[in-house]
Amino acid sequence: MGQLHDVGQADGWRCWLCDEPVDPNMPPNDPRGASIDTRITKARAKKRKQDKKNLPSERLAHKGCNTGKGANDPVVSWPDHLIVADPAPIITAVERLERKGGREIMARCPTREDAEAASVWLVDRLSRLAPGLEVHTEIATTGGQFLVNLCT
Ligand SMILES: [Zn+2]
């Protein structure tokens, strides 16, 4: 229980996958209860070794969200209210940025307003998903569409 409490504290009692609050007092078998997601990725494991940085290897997740049990790669979803085409897999993109920096095209949007909404959401989401990673967004226009780039 001590470990769960530490991981919960580190993540502010918020599920790293769905970004919703986790109630530490839920019964352990409730799908909304707290659990530890230990699916540390290869990139992250390597980086921890290299820099001896204190990147978290364990994250807080709802029991219901934490269904992979090491078998599947974790997935962070884009919210339904954003109008984006070709949304990039968020965790994969974040890992590449953590590994070598640069920029990742995250989504294509039909209007600048949609691209700005997606940018705001992404930066806010990443501030909790990857607290050690400093990112900003850039919006590029191409062929009448708006590309949301995530840059280090
Ligand atoms: Zn969750």
Side-chain angles (χ1 to χ4, degrees), residues 14 20 85 114 135:
R14 195 184 274 266
E20 296 290 325
D114 293 323
V135 286

Side-chain angles (χ1 to χ4, degrees), residues 10-11 26 38-39 42 49 55 59 64 77 81 84-86 88 98 111 130 138 142 145 147:
D11 275 341
M26 278 280 180
T38 55
R39 289 173 292 178
K42 273 190 201 139
K49 244 186 196 164
L55 291 173
R59 304 297 303 259
S77 356
H81 69 264
V84 294
D86 297 338
E98 281 181 331
T111 69
E138 284 170 15
T142 170
Q145 288 188 314
L147 296 181

Side-chain angles (χ1 to χ4, degrees), residues 15 18 62 65:
C15 173
C18 74
H62 292 114
C65 294

Side-chain angles (χ1 to χ4, degrees), residues 50-68:
Q50 278 170 357
D51 322 351
K52 303 206 165 41
K53 259 196 201 156
N54 202 16
L55 291 173
S57 59
E58 290 157 338
R59 304 297 303 259
L60 184 73
H62 292 114
K63 202 171 183 65
C65 294
N66 187 10
T67 53

Side-chain angles (χ1 to χ4, degrees), residues 95-152:
E95 279 172 4
R96 269 200 298 266
L97 290 174
E98 281 181 331
R99 200 162 65 234
K100 52 183 188 181
R103 78 175 50 219
E104 294 279 332
I105 298 173
M106 298 303 291
R108 284 189 293 122
C109 298
T111 69
R112 179 168 288 277
E113 287 72 38
D114 293 323
E116 277 166 8
S119 297
V120 168
W121 178 82
L122 259 180
V123 169
D124 176 63
R125 185 70 178 85
L126 290 195
S127 69
R128 292 180 297 278
L129 184 66
L133 184 67
E134 297 235 350
V135 286
H136 63 275
T137 53
E138 284 170 15
I139 297 171
T141 49
T142 170
Q145 288 188 314
F146 297 84
L147 296 181
V148 179
N149 289 291
L150 194 59
C151 319
T152 55

